[in-house]
Amino acid sequence: MPGLTQPIGPAIFLLLGIPVFSTVAMGALFLFLKRLSNIKRKRREIKPSLGSLGYACTALLAVMPWMLAASSPMGNWSWLSIFALPAIPLVVWISLKKPKFASIPWLATVSAILLTPGPNPMRAAEDYGLNPVMVIGIDSASWEQIDAMIENGELENLEYLKSEGSWGVLRSEAPLVSPRLWSTMATGLPPEKHGIVDFYSTRFDLKAGRVWDAVAAAGGKVGLMEWHMTWPPNPYPGFCVPAWLAQSFATVPPEASFLKRLEFTGKRGKSEASRSFFRFELFQDLLSSVATSSAGNTWANFLDGLAILKQRNRQETYWRAKLIQMRMAGDLFLRLMTRESPVFSAMVLYPVDALGHLYWKYHEPEAFPELTEGEIRQFGEVVRNAYREADLILGNILKQIDLNEVTLVLVSDHGMEATPAGQDRAAYLPKADLILKTIGLEKQLRYAIAERQLIFSVKFPGLEGMARLRQAHQIFSDAFVVEKPDIPPFIPQPIEEEQGMFILELNYDTTLDPTMHISLDGKETLISDLFRYEGKSGMHHDRGILLMAGPGVKKNQEMKEHSIYDVAPTLLYSLGLKIPETLPGKVVQAAFRPSIFESRPIERTSDLLPPPPEVEIQFGNEQLRDQMLNELGYTDQAEEEEENFTGD
């Protein structure tokens, strides 16, 4: 399993550390006051009421974690009015009844959790002549999985949205690399026009404006949560929390950066992780996460934290930590929406993709007959759990918005299905790191793994970079199997000059014997040294989802297939903005009632979308990005944790 990290720190401290600390503090104070009371009574200096005071102070300390959360950078001081509800009755009851100490912290903790306030109702966005639009992305979601769960009586919020809106398949395009696809949906342009090629592209490579750039230019607030290529964050009014490829923890507003720091706790080097485990900044981050969590998610996170401690299993830890992170992101999104009320907002949820890659074999065990019954029982619901959590987040959002006023758009960049099962040739990938070193171009080229393809691109744009790219393309074109010279092991696709890249495919029409050799740039190398077994059991397909609900949208309407290029024009139209003629996509007219176009016709313009704002050049920590890529199996860095070519 490639690159599994153990982000156990946030789970333990967030869910157990603060209450345990509070309990210890309560116990120490209680014992001190009790002992002091006994001493004073023996000396007849005070009345026995000091013991009651100890009980009362203990009860007040029980809600200390939530009081600290209220004062955190993302805290909400209105919580203090809630604390009186469990605290005052507890003080009276404890003073009169004097129960056993052990029952006090549990009663106070449960009371505080149950009384934790949900997010405040969202204020209506200042429209600036624009119509409010919210986009929710679920990376890798597909209707096959959603509809199957709805038929089983699950995903009630997605079922409700289908009844209230229009939906259909959203066709993606290869290579199915998330940053380029989400950028295509945001700009409405192909990668050669918007500039985002692969996982190593950054905000500084972006050459085209996005939908929210047009919103900001019209004076509207923008709220973005974990959309690719938003690092460094936009300096727009509103909020921006970059996605997992960010190379620093920078966010707008700065206090929202706790989410990014918690995501990487436990993923840095061992010595650094251990040092940062007890840092004061981590304590503040955990308080902020508690302050933004809803009561339901607080309880769910608590249970997942207990399971992590109980199981101490890497696979169990990984999927539960991903769900905790998704709940935290959803709660933070709602808190920032409440604070800022942007006219355009967007959030992308990634655990369906991350967990699908690694746990799909348990989700669809019939395609992987080597699994045991125990493994299927333990992990068979992981992928569905990711869908369930996404549905709960949608439910929390629906409680806060009015579909008579807000257009809600649900999209995914692609879907997911099982990889080819068994120890066959289709389950192997070239070791890109080693191949680049073999041909001596590891410093000039970079790569990304996209399903059973490798994407090679230039590290440094310009004539020299393109020359090295052409050199690599020629080397792969000339490669052959030594024992069978007529067999080409690689099939390089044509170079895409504008993007500075080409796609390399393995020749799956040939049966590769691991004991044979490949001639690569004049060097003969054992095939088993150049290929590795594919550790992921879920792979992308090009059928994503599109669902729209809101004012003017048809209800309970299934649409024909649409393209990812249609997303940006549809969002612009829903916002009430003109659509650039340069965009190849079209408005998804099938989603709207015909009368809407009579009152608000589609307007085109020869102008381009406003360019992205200039941001200060930042030299971030590329290790943060690379660790996430390794974890998800998009590079070879975690190769030592995977099976080798022979599957041993």
Side-chain angles (χ1 to χ4, degrees):
M1 188 169 293
L4 280 183
T5 58
Q6 299 187 55
I8 194 170
I12 296 176
F13 271 85
L14 170 64
L15 309 170
L16 303 178
I18 297 176
V20 167
F21 170 78
S22 179
T23 301
V24 171
M26 287 187 287
L29 180 62
F30 171 74
L31 293 175
F32 171 76
L33 291 174
K34 184 177 180 181
R35 184 174 181 82
L36 181 62
S37 175
N38 291 336
I39 293 173
K40 295 289 187 180
R41 269 189 286 174
K42 289 179 181 179
R43 297 179 180 177
R44 300 179 180 275
E45 294 179 9
I46 64 168
K47 296 179 179 180
S49 60
L50 188 57
S52 299
L53 178 61
Y55 284 110
C57 290
T58 300
L60 289 173
L61 277 173
V63 295
M64 182 175 66
W66 287 268
M67 296 182 71
L68 290 172
S71 62
S72 68
M74 283 299 298
N76 184 348
W77 281 102
S78 64
W79 280 35
L80 292 180
S81 62
I82 299 296
F83 296 148
L85 296 177
I88 293 174
L90 277 171
V91 170
V92 175
W93 177 73
I94 290 170
S95 300
L96 295 176
K97 298 295 183 181
K98 299 181 181 180
K100 292 182 179 180
F101 166 72
S103 64
I104 298 171
W106 286 108
L107 181 60
T109 299
V110 171
S111 300
I113 289 177
L114 294 176
L115 291 167
T116 298
N120 297 325
M122 294 181 189
R123 294 178 287 111
E126 298 180 37
D127 57 27
Y128 297 96
L130 303 176
N131 307 310
V133 172
M134 179 183 291
V135 181
I136 303 297
I138 306 178
D139 200 291
S140 279
S142 62
W143 287 123
E144 295 95 329
Q145 308 307 318
I146 292 173
D147 289 340
M149 294 184 70
I150 289 176
E151 288 180 8
N152 288 331
E154 300 190 80
L155 308 184
E156 61 180 14
N157 296 301
L158 278 162
E159 182 179 21
Y160 169 76
L161 284 173
K162 288 185 72 174
S163 68
E164 290 294 309
S166 298
W167 76 94
V169 170
L170 189 66
R171 182 70 65 172
S172 191
E173 66 175 8
L176 299 174
V177 177
S178 289
R180 63 189 285 150
L181 298 176
W182 289 109
S183 297
T184 294
M185 285 190 275
T187 63
L189 294 171
E192 59 268 22
K193 297 296 183 182
H194 62 60
I196 304 304
V197 175
D198 55 25
F199 295 106
Y200 296 96
S201 299
T202 70
R203 165 72 176 73
F204 303 109
D205 297 312
L206 192 65
K207 300 185 294 187
R210 301 150 297 183
V211 170
W212 54 83
D213 294 316
V215 173
K221 275 189 178 182
V222 172
L224 301 172
M225 174 67 67
E226 304 217 327
W227 194 288
H228 277 305
M229 299 302 121
T230 54
W231 178 88
N234 299 312
Y236 290 141
F239 63 88
C240 181
V241 179
W244 52 268
L245 287 174
Q247 296 178 33
S248 78
F249 303 136
T251 62
V252 175
E255 57 266 30
S257 60
F258 78 88
L259 180 67
K260 308 310 296 179
R261 285 191 292 269
L262 288 178
E263 285 178 356
F264 284 93
T265 298
K267 295 182 182 176
R268 289 165 274 190
K270 289 186 178 179
S271 59
E272 182 181 355
S274 61
R275 288 196 303 270
S276 66
F277 206 61
F278 296 99
R279 70 187 193 278
F280 180 70
E281 185 183 56
L282 175 60
F283 183 68
Q284 285 187 311
D285 293 341
L286 294 170
L287 290 176
S288 289
S289 66
V290 172
T292 57
S293 294
S294 65
N297 283 344
T298 299
W299 182 246
N301 290 343
F302 178 78
L303 294 178
D304 276 333
L306 286 179
I308 286 173
L309 290 177
K310 180 180 178 181
Q311 296 289 336
R312 292 185 175 273
N313 178 290
R314 293 179 70 197
Q315 287 179 286
E316 191 78 20
T317 294
Y318 184 78
W319 75 263
R320 290 186 184 276
K322 283 294 180 187
L323 296 190
I324 291 173
Q325 291 173 6
M326 179 159 65
R327 295 185 197 110
M328 289 166 56
D331 285 334
L332 178 59
F333 178 72
L334 284 173
R335 172 59 62 84
L336 293 172
M337 286 292 297
T338 300
R339 279 177 40 166
E340 302 295 337
S341 297
V343 69
F344 177 85
S345 57
M347 173 174 63
V348 182
L349 304 171
Y350 295 99
V352 168
D353 179 80
L355 299 181
H357 279 310
L358 302 176
Y359 296 83
W360 197 274
K361 56 186 175 183
Y362 310 111
H363 172 70
E364 193 178 335
E366 58 271 17
F368 301 88
E370 71 276 10
L371 295 177
T372 66
E373 289 295 327
E375 290 174 322
I376 296 172
R377 281 195 305 271
Q378 185 173 7
F379 302 115
E381 294 298 313
V382 169
V383 174
R384 281 181 283 271
N385 283 341
Y387 275 98
R388 290 171 184 131
E389 288 299 335
D391 186 71
L392 290 174
I393 290 174
L394 283 173
N396 291 334
I397 290 172
L398 288 173
K399 293 175 184 176
Q400 301 298 316
I401 65 174
D402 184 352
L403 289 180
N404 293 316
E405 298 178 359
V406 179
T407 299
L408 181 63
V409 182
L410 187 65
V411 294
S412 68
D413 54 340
H414 48 65
M416 186 166 284
E417 61 189 357
T419 56
Q423 301 286 321
D424 60 26
R425 62 181 180 272
Y428 296 97
L429 282 175
K431 296 179 181 178
D433 271 338
L434 181 58
I435 288 175
L436 284 178
K437 291 177 182 177
T438 301
I439 64 178
L441 294 176
E442 72 275 14
K443 294 183 179 180
Q444 290 80 26
L445 301 181
R446 60 191 184 188
Y447 75 93
I449 301 172
E451 307 317 322
R452 291 171 288 164
Q453 299 175 327
L454 295 178
I455 302 175
F456 289 102
S457 58
V458 296
K459 279 188 177 180
F460 310 105
L463 296 177
E464 179 65 19
M466 288 303 299
R468 301 285 76 80
L469 191 69
R470 295 189 188 96
Q471 178 185 347
H473 191 276
Q474 189 62 50
I475 290 173
F476 291 127
S477 299
D478 295 340
F480 60 90
V481 178
V482 175
E483 290 79 1
K484 297 181 179 180
D486 57 328
I487 295 179
F490 305 111
I491 304 176
Q493 300 299 313
I495 294 176
E496 299 182 30
E497 299 282 345
E498 289 187 70
Q499 301 179 57
M501 59 159 281
F502 71 86
I503 296 173
L504 182 70
E505 295 184 355
L506 177 64
N507 185 0
Y508 291 109
D509 293 332
T510 62
T511 301
L512 299 179
D513 185 339
T515 63
M516 293 182 178
H517 298 76
I518 287 180
S519 176
L520 191 63
D521 196 25
K523 305 178 183 71
E524 294 186 6
T525 307
L526 197 65
I527 287 180
S528 61
D529 290 338
L530 288 180
F531 291 83
R532 64 181 176 87
Y533 183 73
E534 170 62 273
K536 296 186 292 187
S537 58
M539 63 180 289
H540 298 157
H541 63 62
D542 64 357
R543 301 178 306 280
I545 67 170
L546 171 64
L547 186 151
M548 295 183 63
V553 177
K554 295 177 183 176
K555 295 187 177 184
N556 199 25
Q557 174 73 32
E558 184 173 6
M559 304 181 293
K560 67 175 185 178
E561 181 181 293
H562 286 86
S563 164
I564 57 173
Y565 289 95
D566 298 331
V567 173
T570 304
L571 295 178
L572 291 168
Y573 175 75
S574 299
L575 285 159
L577 293 170
K578 295 181 180 180
I579 301 166
E581 296 172 348
T582 54
L583 300 187
K586 300 178 180 179
V587 175
V588 181
Q589 297 189 43
F592 297 93
R593 296 192 296 270
S595 59
I596 197 73
F597 299 107
E598 297 175 3
S599 59
R600 185 157 54 90
I602 298 173
E603 294 185 78
R604 293 276 182 174
T605 177
S606 58
D607 295 332
L608 302 175
L609 288 177
E614 292 186 6
V615 292
E616 181 181 350
I617 294 179
Q618 298 185 23
F619 298 95
N621 184 354
E622 293 184 353
Q623 291 182 347
L624 298 178
R625 174 201 64 197
D626 294 344
Q627 286 170 350
M628 293 300 294
L629 290 173
N630 299 340
E631 178 181 303
L632 295 172
Y634 292 132
T635 67
D636 290 328
Q637 299 301 316
E639 178 185 325
E640 66 274 7
E641 298 185 15
E642 298 180 13
E643 299 169 307
N644 60 23
F645 185 86
T646 60
D648 295 334

